[in-house]
Amino acid sequence: MTRELEASVVADPRAGGRPSMRLTLMLVVVGWLLFNAGTTIGRFTGPDFTGTTDRGVGTVEKCERRGPITLFDGVGWFDACYVWVEWDRNASERLLIDDPGFFQGEKPGDTVRIGYGISRPEVPYSATLGLLMYLFCGAGVLLFGVGLLRVAAGLRRRSPG
């Protein structure tokens, strides 16, 4: 009886005790894809312009195209532009705005209405898209992390000592 119980508790390392490399790779890739899907969804919503206390008009000075694949800004091309902002409160400043989804094809010399916190009326806040963004990013980070833990566990088992 004791041997049977011991045999059922102690796992044989040859009987599937090692993590599957395919599963590990799939977790890492799917996690990365979900995270990037979430950050790409986040491009279609922004801070709420109506809740902004300070507003102004920004004149685009120069732009740089970024993408198509970024580390934390999702998938697809977007513009990062230097903008000279004249705030309604009689102040002005030069800003680099590199938020994906903020610019919609503006070129140097174009003006955009801008809210403090880098918002604009053409990109309204959407609670649904915000929630989707957080869900996708959270699931992606979770799966990616589990995959990396499986890689670390596999390397630990293989290391001598």
Side-chain angles (χ1 to χ4, degrees):
M1 173 84 172
T2 310
R3 284 186 182 175
E4 292 171 13
L5 181 61
E6 192 175 298
S8 66
V9 173
V10 178
D12 183 7
R14 292 168 290 176
R18 292 183 311 180
S20 164
M21 191 52 111
R22 281 189 197 150
L23 176 62
T24 302
L25 183 61
M26 190 171 69
L27 284 170
V28 170
V29 170
V30 170
W32 184 82
L33 289 173
L34 280 173
F35 179 82
N36 276 292
T39 55
T40 303
I41 290 169
R43 293 180 178 195
F44 300 101
T45 186
D48 192 10
F49 184 81
T50 58
T52 305
T53 55
D54 291 337
R55 297 178 182 174
V57 176
T59 304
V60 178
E61 291 181 350
K62 71 176 188 175
C63 294
E64 174 184 305
R65 198 102 165 117
R66 295 190 181 164
I69 298 174
T70 63
L71 191 55
F72 295 114
D73 291 323
V75 178
W77 294 97
F78 68 96
D79 292 324
C81 300
Y82 283 98
V83 179
W84 184 259
V85 181
E86 297 284 339
W87 296 106
D88 294 345
R89 57 179 156 76
N90 295 326
S92 58
E93 64 182 319
R94 185 175 193 231
L95 299 173
L96 170 63
I97 302 175
D98 60 353
D99 292 341
F102 183 84
F103 291 104
Q104 301 169 346
E106 285 84 6
K107 303 286 182 237
D110 291 349
T111 59
V112 293
R113 188 78 175 137
I114 187 172
Y116 189 77
I118 314 303
S119 62
R120 64 186 291 178
E122 296 88 2
V123 183
Y125 173 74
S126 169
T128 304
L129 290 178
L131 179 63
L132 280 174
M133 176 186 72
Y134 287 118
L135 287 174
F136 273 73
C137 287
V141 166
L142 181 68
L143 290 178
F144 191 82
V146 168
L148 289 181
L149 287 174
R150 288 176 61 95
V151 167
L155 291 175
R156 186 171 168 219
R157 277 195 206 110
R158 289 187 183 136
S159 67

